[in-house]
Amino acid sequence: MTEAYIFDHVRSPRGRGKKDGALHEVTPVNLLSQMLRALTVRNDFDVSSIDDVVAGCVTAVGEQGGNVGRFAAYMADYGDGVPGMHVNRFCASALVAVNYACARVMAGQADMMVGCGVESMSRVTMGFDGGAWLFDPQVSNKVGFVLQGISADLIATKYGFSREDCDQYAILSQKRSKAAWDAGYFKNSIVNVKDQIGLTLLDHDQHMRPSATLEDLGKLKSAFTDYGEMGFDSVALQKYPETETMDHVHHAGNSSGIVDGAAAMLIGTKEMGEKYKLKARAKMTSFADVGIDPTIMLSGPAAAAKKALARAGLTKEDIDIWEVNEAFSSVVLRFCQEMELSTEEVNVNGGSIAMGHPLGATGAIILGTALDELERTGKRYALAALCVAGGMATATIIERV
């Protein structure tokens, strides 16, 4: 099997996902193309050597529809000869894009690939693409469809996480994100987003609220109580009657932020690295996808992590850096509980509660964050994992070179 190496990764700052957000004027294709172009600026290689651009995007309609990967690459001047494609595994889309890109290399069917992702949540509303699991009663009834926030509250209720537990973790995310930014831990990976005339629109993660306190979060209304009363609680409790009642603990302050963002990774063989004098920063070790019950939906990252560890012949003790997407506080708390980890060991530089979760890009962002932290600390292995809507999860393990 051919080794797949990560030569570089970049990401945009994350802009608030509203019309007054700093990146609202930037189209999804433009946002992603700026990340793809940055790879060519930062690395001296022949762009025609790229075999494919695999792009994650969740709400692939309107401006984000029609194969955003192909046209972002074209707008980044990759040329006629570089194809592109779009993948959607909901929140893990960009991580799956990277995994697929690596798989092509590992299978000997590509020499140079780009795995990337984008989501402009201020321009294309989350859920606007609909789908059978939402709108076809036959499907939604069999699936046991509930909103993701109900799933997060179900996890908290079933596994014993209080609102205070979730709020404390959210404050930890804010503090860590602020400390990482202040220390310059993201500076080598951030590509400032510019407007049409080259002026910088955003150079920092706009969603952060580092001054937030537990008292502030305590004043926020639970976001999903009303939805639960509309019938979603009943659906969840039918599958999990042992919970008896639902405890709605999540709100805007301990859930991931709605933002705009993009990220990209340059991946290839050892030979391509030598040809273009590219530094191999990490190599793909293993990756895994799992499915779980679609109602509880978000509790799969530990199962995916265990599968990826087994595939690599590693144990959790071998992992030095852990990144788990902070879709909701309870997702990370359950991961730590199931993996027997402390929250001190996971997401040491903050996460999506503080900095935001651009759905189709987050997987590549957190894998890049893990790689940067491996290099900063001189450690060896990192694992990144995300929960996925519809009852799935993805995990990836990389090794620093």
Side-chain angles (χ1 to χ4, degrees):
M1 183 178 67
T2 303
E3 298 281 10
Y5 292 93
I6 299 172
F7 297 119
D8 199 11
H9 77 92
V10 295
R11 76 163 176 96
S12 72
R14 286 167 272 195
R16 193 177 299 114
K18 298 180 179 180
K19 290 184 178 180
D20 63 351
L23 300 183
H24 176 66
E25 70 178 74
V26 185
T27 67
V29 166
N30 187 354
L31 183 56
L32 181 55
S33 72
Q34 291 194 41
M35 301 306 108
L36 298 181
R37 187 176 293 110
L39 291 178
T40 67
V41 171
R42 290 160 55 112
N43 302 278
D44 186 14
F45 65 96
D46 182 354
V47 74
S48 67
S49 65
I50 296 175
D51 291 295
D52 208 350
V53 174
V54 186
C57 185
V58 175
T59 311
V61 295
E63 294 180 321
Q64 291 184 165
N67 192 350
V68 68
R70 164 62 170 172
F71 298 105
Y74 201 88
M75 295 304 292
D77 298 322
Y78 280 29
D80 296 348
V82 178
M85 64 178 290
H86 157 248
V87 298
N88 180 7
R89 200 188 293 276
F90 297 123
C91 297
S93 294
L95 189 58
V96 167
V98 170
N99 293 346
Y100 282 6
C102 287
R104 287 268 297 276
V105 173
M106 294 162 79
Q109 299 302 307
D111 299 311
M112 186 86 85
M113 298 282 291
V114 173
C116 58
V118 65
E119 204 81 25
S120 293
M121 301 180 75
S122 72
R123 298 178 68 98
V124 182
T125 304
M126 178 171 55
F128 193 64
D129 53 337
W133 76 311
L134 278 75
F135 297 122
D136 183 336
Q138 286 186 313
V139 178
S140 60
N141 288 340
K142 183 169 183 175
V143 166
F145 171 75
V146 298
L147 300 175
Q148 286 192 34
I150 298 293
S151 297
D153 286 341
L154 176 59
I155 291 169
T157 304
K158 179 174 173 60
Y159 296 106
F161 307 124
S162 67
R163 170 151 175 168
E164 184 177 2
D165 293 333
C166 293
D167 286 355
Q168 286 179 338
Y169 182 79
I171 294 299
L172 184 62
S173 178
Q174 296 284 357
K175 289 181 177 178
R176 286 171 166 174
S177 298
K178 177 66 161 55
W181 267 102
D182 289 350
Y185 291 169
F186 304 131
K187 66 180 181 180
N188 292 330
S189 304
I190 292 290
V191 174
N192 296 344
V193 179
K194 300 182 182 298
D195 64 13
Q196 296 292 336
I197 61 173
L199 297 178
T200 296
L201 293 171
L202 189 63
D203 61 2
H204 64 281
D205 287 325
Q206 192 180 22
H207 185 268
M208 291 192 302
R209 297 288 184 272
S211 62
T213 65
L214 280 174
E215 183 179 2
D216 295 331
L217 298 191
K219 297 175 182 177
L220 298 177
K221 179 183 176 182
S222 297
F224 302 101
T225 301
D226 292 344
Y227 291 106
E229 293 174 353
M230 290 169 57
F232 288 120
D233 280 0
S234 296
V235 173
L237 294 175
Q238 283 176 10
K239 282 199 175 182
Y240 297 91
E242 69 274 15
T243 58
E244 296 185 359
T245 59
M246 287 281 284
D247 189 8
H248 291 286
V249 301
H250 289 95
H251 49 76
N254 59 25
S255 307
S256 57
I258 294 174
V259 294
D260 302 335
M265 285 192 162
L266 181 64
I267 297 155
T269 63
K270 178 182 179 181
E271 291 74 18
M272 291 300 282
E274 291 173 346
K275 178 178 180 179
Y276 293 114
K277 296 181 173 56
L278 302 173
K279 178 186 177 182
R281 299 174 60 183
K283 66 178 179 179
M284 175 62 70
T285 300
S286 69
F287 49 87
D289 306 289
V290 300
I292 63 167
D293 167 42
T295 301
I296 203 164
M297 195 184 317
L298 308 177
S299 60
K306 291 175 182 178
K307 189 174 181 178
L309 286 166
R311 187 163 285 161
L314 300 173
T315 68
K316 73 170 190 175
E317 286 72 27
D318 294 309
I319 302 301
D320 302 297
I321 305 298
W322 299 87
E323 284 286 329
V324 181
N325 186 40
E326 297 174 352
F328 300 87
S329 285
S330 66
V331 171
V332 182
L333 295 177
R334 174 55 184 159
F335 180 86
C336 292
Q337 185 184 66
E338 192 169 353
M339 297 298 294
E340 298 181 346
L341 296 168
S342 164
T343 55
E344 295 302 313
E345 301 172 83
V346 177
N347 300 343
V348 296
N349 292 319
S352 293
I353 290 174
M355 293 180 282
H357 175 24
L359 306 178
T362 302
I365 290 174
I366 68 170
L367 188 63
T369 299
L371 173 52
D372 287 344
E373 187 65 10
L374 281 179
E375 292 178 331
R376 189 184 74 82
T377 58
K379 300 295 180 64
R380 184 176 183 183
Y381 288 111
L383 185 149
L386 298 94
C387 60
V388 179
M392 298 177 283
T394 297
T396 299
I397 300 173
I398 58 172
E399 180 182 2
R400 182 178 67 88
V401 176

